[in-house]
Amino acid sequence: MRTEEDRNRGGVAGAAAVGVAALGLGEAIAAARGGSLIDTIGRALIDTVPIPVVEATVVISGRHDKAATRAGVGAGAVAATAAISALPPRLRLPGVVAAGAATAALATRQSTRSASAMLGAAAASGVLAAGLRRRPRGVLGTLGWTLAGAGLFAAAHTLQRDLDRKQDGVIRRLGAMGAPGTVPEDGLEGEAGLSALVTPEHKMYVADVSLRAPRIDPNRWRLSVKGMVAHTLRLSLADLAADAVEFDAVLVCVHNRAGEGRAGNARWLGVPLVRLLEHAIPDDNATHLVTRAVDGYTISLPLDALRSGELPGYLVVGMNGQPLSPAHGFPARVFVPGLYGQYTGAKWLSELELTDDSHSDYWVKRGWTRELLRVHPHARIDSTLPGREIAGTTSVTGVAWAPPHGVDAVEIRVGQEDWQPVELGTELSPSSWRRWRTTLKLPAGAHTIQVRAISRSGQTQDAVDRPPFPVGPTGLHTVTVDV
Ligand SMILES: Nc1nc2c(c(=O)[nH]1)N[C@H]1C(S)=C(S)[C@@H](COP(=O)(O)O)O[C@H]1N2
Ligand SMILES: [Mo]
């Protein structure tokens, strides 16, 4: 006869398998209702962990920050299950209830508020409670629970993919946003390894605190301009598109360290924010424009600087001739060329609110400076290849930016030799990135190459290596070539 004690001896593997199945069911149920349990928990974690943890995750996971966060949630859930299963039997049910309640609390936070995730959490708790009472033992039982969990994850993935495809279809049916027109050129076409002058949408970096782009119905979406204004506005995507103009500008994440790819140059379509302000007429005591997203993210911009033109901000509805993609902020975002992405305005806008100084932004609450962080001039090396024209030479290409003033010069140096200018491509606009190339004659052996950008406002790229936090990264891109 099996005693209670026997049953409890089922290994950690069995408990972990129950955890996988529980999370899988929770995820599938949330997905069936258009949400995600894992992503809701992940976002709540991003919202609450200390800044050094956020910074370390960005450095370690690079472009895979979202996958890393999800993996962390999965591992945490399995570990929690194993921990609960190790409790004395009478404490296990309370343990499951506590874990379920904690998860539900995360799912109701302001930024994540998700009924689907709450439902998923409840279902997961039920599976946990039942599964830990009759914990699987032996290879077969453990395998069965694990496979059931895997199947549920696969189902959740399929549901999510179908919803995303549907959303892509809705966006595609809106048609072009802006004039697709001719492909811009800068005279440096055909350089192998050099970034495109205009970054294609799928190559544009994605950075945000939401693990999944919200799916917004453009037919029901309205942008409200409200708060301390004489006229509250409610604008549809078509209203906005009708007033929009095209501009070229580079978007740079504050986490882009020397030589990295968290930057891209696009042809945007947007309504100058000054035009919206002219219609809304801010009250005299309004000082800030809060850009608020459906995911609870906010960034605010100083009204004076927007109106004087010092911050040439836009309400953006298009990128490279198309509507914004879900990842890049569909249906609308705010973008001020020259400010780092974290300070430039929210994607997935829900409203613009005029306020006084009392509002505190998402990242300011988390310890980032209230000062707007301006993009430092930066040059990046994209390729170092054997010269095509003259044997024994090395052709070096790259991009450089210094928005909103523009790149005046890019200089290169080999080892500790003098800085020398490179050839610049034609500038699309001062706020865009500028491509460059040069040919070096290098003797055989290994050489260290560095580049720096000099802005038209007279700022030379700072060579001192600093991390992104707290005022944006500095330092030079350094590459070693073997000739
Ligand atoms: N709603 C919302 N907007 C946001 C963010 C966010 O987390 N949520 N992140 C900002 C940051 S840090 C950057 S770098 C840019 C990135 O824009 P992209 O993903 O289109 O490249 O969006 C900004 N806007
Ligand atoms: Mo960013």
Side-chain angles (χ1 to χ4, degrees):
M1 202 183 92
R2 268 161 128 224
T3 63
E4 176 77 0
E5 207 179 312
D6 275 338
R7 271 198 264 133
N8 296 339
R9 246 187 265 127
V12 177
V18 171
V20 169
L23 194 61
L25 183 69
E27 186 64 14
I29 284 180
R33 317 199 70 204
S36 164
L37 178 58
I38 291 177
D39 292 354
T40 300
I41 299 172
R43 168 62 190 270
L45 282 180
I46 295 170
D47 285 352
T48 43
V49 297
I51 281 287
V53 177
V54 177
E55 296 304 298
T57 308
V58 172
V59 171
I60 296 164
S61 59
R63 279 196 164 212
H64 307 289
D65 57 333
K66 293 185 198 302
T69 307
R70 286 182 181 138
V73 171
V78 172
T81 311
I84 294 171
S85 77
L87 293 172
R90 68 191 160 78
L91 289 181
R92 270 186 226 141
L93 190 57
V96 170
V97 172
T103 310
L106 293 178
T108 52
R109 283 173 56 98
Q110 170 75 28
S111 57
T112 52
R113 193 175 292 151
S114 166
S116 53
M118 277 198 56
L119 208 66
S125 304
V127 172
L128 266 192
L132 291 183
R133 278 176 72 89
R134 297 204 146 268
R135 193 166 354 143
R137 303 192 311 163
V139 177
L140 271 186
T142 304
L143 199 67
W145 281 81
T146 309
L147 284 179
L152 287 161
F153 277 117
H157 179 75
T158 305
L159 287 164
Q160 295 287 7
R161 201 195 46 205
D162 289 349
L163 288 170
D164 286 340
R165 284 197 183 143
K166 237 166 121 185
Q167 178 72 356
D168 288 343
V170 168
I171 296 175
R172 221 176 306 116
R173 280 194 291 282
L174 293 172
M177 281 274 181
T182 50
V183 181
E185 296 195 341
D186 66 352
L188 296 188
E189 282 65 42
E191 291 287 342
L194 177 58
S195 298
L197 182 56
V198 175
T199 310
E201 187 276 331
H202 66 274
K203 288 222 170 141
M204 184 73 159
Y205 79 100
V206 175
D208 53 63
V209 293
S210 290
L211 294 183
R212 194 174 291 280
R215 303 181 189 99
I216 298 172
D217 177 355
N219 300 312
R220 292 173 50 193
W221 179 84
R222 295 290 180 274
L223 175 78
S224 45
V225 185
K226 57 172 233 191
M228 301 166 79
V229 288
H231 304 296
T232 299
L233 310 178
R234 263 176 75 77
L235 302 162
S236 70
L237 190 52
D239 296 335
L240 293 164
D243 264 351
V245 293
E246 282 193 308
F247 65 99
D248 296 320
V250 60
L251 176 63
V252 186
C253 177
V254 75
H255 287 101
N256 190 70
R257 299 189 72 158
E260 293 182 346
R262 288 189 183 92
N265 194 54
R267 177 156 285 185
W268 309 93
L269 180 76
V271 184
L273 288 175
V274 274
R275 297 220 43 195
L276 291 178
L277 295 173
E278 278 162 18
H279 283 112
I281 312 182
D283 297 350
D284 287 343
N285 44 354
T287 59
H288 283 81
L289 178 76
V290 179
T291 71
R292 182 170 286 120
V294 300
D295 68 337
Y297 187 87
T298 69
I299 304 176
S300 58
L301 299 162
L303 208 45
D304 282 348
L306 290 175
R307 289 170 124 178
S308 70
E310 186 201 331
L311 292 179
Y314 293 86
L315 188 130
V316 168
V317 294
M319 178 184 174
N320 298 344
Q322 300 297 321
L324 291 170
S325 65
H328 295 298
F330 181 82
R333 69 187 299 172
V334 166
F335 177 23
V336 185
L339 295 180
Y340 281 116
Q342 189 166 305
Y343 287 86
T344 208
K347 310 194 274 190
W348 313 303
L349 275 185
S350 58
E351 61 185 32
L352 300 178
E353 187 190 0
L354 285 121
T355 62
D356 50 23
D357 299 341
S358 57
H359 176 80
S360 201
D361 289 326
Y362 180 89
W363 284 115
V364 173
K365 284 190 208 137
R366 311 290 309 282
W368 280 83
T369 168
R370 196 174 271 277
E371 296 300 309
L372 295 176
L373 292 186
R374 290 162 203 274
V375 177
H376 300 292
H378 188 84
R380 181 176 84 201
I381 298 167
D382 280 348
S383 74
T384 56
L385 296 165
R388 273 176 307 182
E389 277 112 53
I390 312 164
T393 61
T394 302
S395 154
V396 188
T397 67
V399 291
W401 55 80
H405 305 290
V407 172
D408 193 42
V410 172
E411 296 179 337
I412 194 165
R413 117 173 131 173
V414 181
Q416 292 303 309
E417 285 170 24
D418 290 340
W419 289 100
Q420 42 180 304
V422 303
E423 177 194 345
L424 293 176
T426 315
E427 180 182 73
L428 282 185
S429 82
S431 285
S432 320
W433 72 20
R434 201 157 175 188
R435 302 199 296 178
W436 57 267
R437 86 166 151 213
T438 195
T439 305
L440 299 173
K441 220 169 158 38
L442 300 171
H447 304 276
T448 304
I449 299 176
Q450 289 188 309
V451 280
R452 67 179 184 189
I454 297 154
S455 82
R456 209 167 276 132
S457 61
Q459 205 185 347
T460 299
Q461 183 174 344
D462 190 342
V464 180
D465 227 335
R466 288 191 198 87
F469 187 79
V471 292
T474 53
L476 302 179
H477 189 200
T478 307
V479 162
T480 306
V481 270
D482 252 314
V483 179

